[in-house]
Amino acid sequence: MSNSTPYTRSDASTSISFLNRLGGFESKESSDLFQAIVQDETSPSPSWIQRLLCDCGGPRTRVEGGIQDVPEISNLAGLMFQNGDEVTSGTAFTLKWADFDKEKRVCTIQVYGGYGSKAAATGLWSILDNHMWRFLSVLGRCCNYTYRISFSEDWQRADFDIKANLGCICCAKPWFTLPHKVAKFEMVQAENSQNGSHWLRNSSVIGRPMEFSYNLETVYKPDGTPTEFIQNFENDAPKSMLLSR
């Protein structure tokens, strides 16, 4: 695919294996992630796990949070690719449907879905297709693993708060915030970033100095236009990934 070719919606059907049905996942080709994560205006049909977490209805309408209306970071509403050598590298997500407060400059997203979000949060963050990440994402969903992202006044950097409900209690919001002395994440716009298209994701664990973790790159803009980073995604993203449902 050339950089000038916009994304084209796929009509391919999705089959769900027994293991994915048991864990509340569906498998997607990487080429279909933009459609599933960014374009689709309804969440996936909820799995038994999501229904257990007090989400008892059918697919929910996704509501744009408004991050795409801030020019400095509008490309965070496209398909973002975690490009690097970290354990989560290769996954993709969007902040288009995340809860967003422009005045407070705060964005909140449940990474794997869970209880209490108006954003219909399942299917917004891809998961590596292996048994370890199946287990961790089910655990994260039950614990309502959530990122609260606070942007600077100039929108050039952001700090992450990691939130969860300890004990993995069904129908409980993420009331606990992990202290920054234990783990601290930040992202800083790179020099070549255009409207939030390229961020440097840095991490600190157990009080250690902040270190570079990976590049966070917009591979498709919100309107489906591929960016200069599309080749990285096509070359390095796993052929298929999982989405929560």
Side-chain angles (χ1 to χ4, degrees), residues 144-213:
N144 223 331
Y145 185 80
T146 298
Y147 287 143
R148 184 179 188 272
I149 306 170
S150 301
F151 291 90
S152 60
E153 290 186 8
D154 62 1
W155 305 99
Q156 295 303 300
R157 65 177 306 279
D159 293 311
F160 288 68
D161 286 318
I162 302 170
K163 301 177 70 67
N165 78 73
L166 297 187
C168 298
I169 304 169
C170 292
C171 305
K173 293 185 178 182
W175 54 268
F176 174 78
T177 301
L178 190 69
H180 285 175
K181 290 183 179 180
V182 178
K184 183 178 181 180
F185 301 158
E186 69 172 16
M187 62 182 189
V188 180
Q189 289 211 49
E191 291 184 1
N192 67 337
S193 182
Q194 299 180 18
N195 306 107
S197 66
H198 184 194
W199 302 76
L200 308 179
R201 254 283 282 112
N202 306 314
S203 306
S204 171
V205 179
I206 316 179
R208 296 176 181 173
M210 195 71 71
E211 295 182 350
F212 172 76
S213 295

Side-chain angles (χ1 to χ4, degrees), residues 107-127:
C107 178
T108 305
I109 184 170
Q110 293 168 306
V111 177
Y112 306 116
Y115 170 72
S117 173
K118 66 182 181 182
T122 54
L124 301 183
W125 202 301
S126 72
I127 304 159

Side-chain angles (χ1 to χ4, degrees), residues 96-112:
K96 177 180 180 179
W97 312 107
D99 296 339
F100 180 63
D101 188 321
K102 183 178 179 180
E103 291 186 1
K104 294 182 179 180
R105 304 188 306 281
V106 171
C107 178
T108 305
I109 184 170
Q110 293 168 306
V111 177
Y112 306 116

